[in-house]
Amino acid sequence: MSYAGDLSPQEAWELLVSNAGAILVDVRTTGEWNSIGVPDLTSLNKDVHFIEWVTEFGPNVHFVSQLAQTGVTPGDNRPIIFICRSGNRSIGAATIATEEGYGPAYNVLEGFEGDADVYGRRVINGWKLRGLPATTYGVGE
């Protein structure tokens, strides 16, 4: 594994609660943020950082520079928790962040929406289904 590890949604929440320096980066697309909702960290007085891993034009070539804009710096040892829809894109984000000296970087298993059932519905698990803080309002609304 080329990043710090995988966390369940509950473990990710607990790390955000217990570590003042820990940040959450949602790497889904703008469309997902605006149509499905986003994690909500207002009860922790923290912001969720939104950086698309893949844009409408393909891989986000500005991902690392946008990560730097969150206030984390390479070598500062601040936990960075990456979340996507189901825990796949966030692996790539955690891997690149680690390669660039950020982190420890973690992937959230299950992601925001979780795994799909046999009918393609995301009703099995995930941040939102597990009742962790979320809002149905997307970015910029």
Side-chain angles (χ1 to χ4, degrees):
M1 183 177 306
S2 57
Y3 54 96
D6 297 314
L7 302 172
S8 71
Q10 186 64 44
E11 290 169 329
W13 173 256
E14 290 169 5
L15 180 56
L16 289 161
V17 169
S18 67
N19 188 315
I23 68 167
L24 181 64
V25 179
D26 190 327
V27 299
R28 295 176 298 146
T29 65
T30 300
E32 289 172 296
W33 300 326
N34 290 328
S35 65
I36 297 161
V38 297
D40 182 359
L41 303 182
T42 56
S43 67
L44 304 179
N45 292 319
K46 292 184 177 188
D47 294 321
V48 177
H49 301 277
F50 300 97
I51 307 171
E52 291 179 306
W53 178 245
V54 177
T55 71
E56 62 183 301
F57 305 108
N60 182 358
V61 297
H62 304 290
F63 181 81
V64 174
S65 63
Q66 291 171 342
L67 181 59
Q69 293 172 10
T70 67
V72 296
T73 58
D76 70 3
N77 207 34
R78 287 179 59 193
I80 306 171
I81 302 165
F82 293 97
I83 192 168
C84 64
R85 179 183 66 195
S86 60
N88 291 312
R89 285 172 281 178
S90 47
I91 291 171
T95 300
I96 292 297
T98 299
E99 289 173 1
E100 295 293 326
Y102 292 91
Y106 298 94
N107 168 56
V108 178
L109 296 169
E110 304 173 13
F112 185 72
E113 289 183 78
D115 299 314
D117 68 7
V118 296
Y119 303 104
R121 298 173 301 175
R122 296 198 179 273
V123 294
I124 297 174
N125 53 27
W127 178 284
K128 190 174 177 180
L129 188 70
R130 295 195 182 279
L132 293 168
T135 179
T136 55
Y137 300 103
V139 177
E141 291 186 17

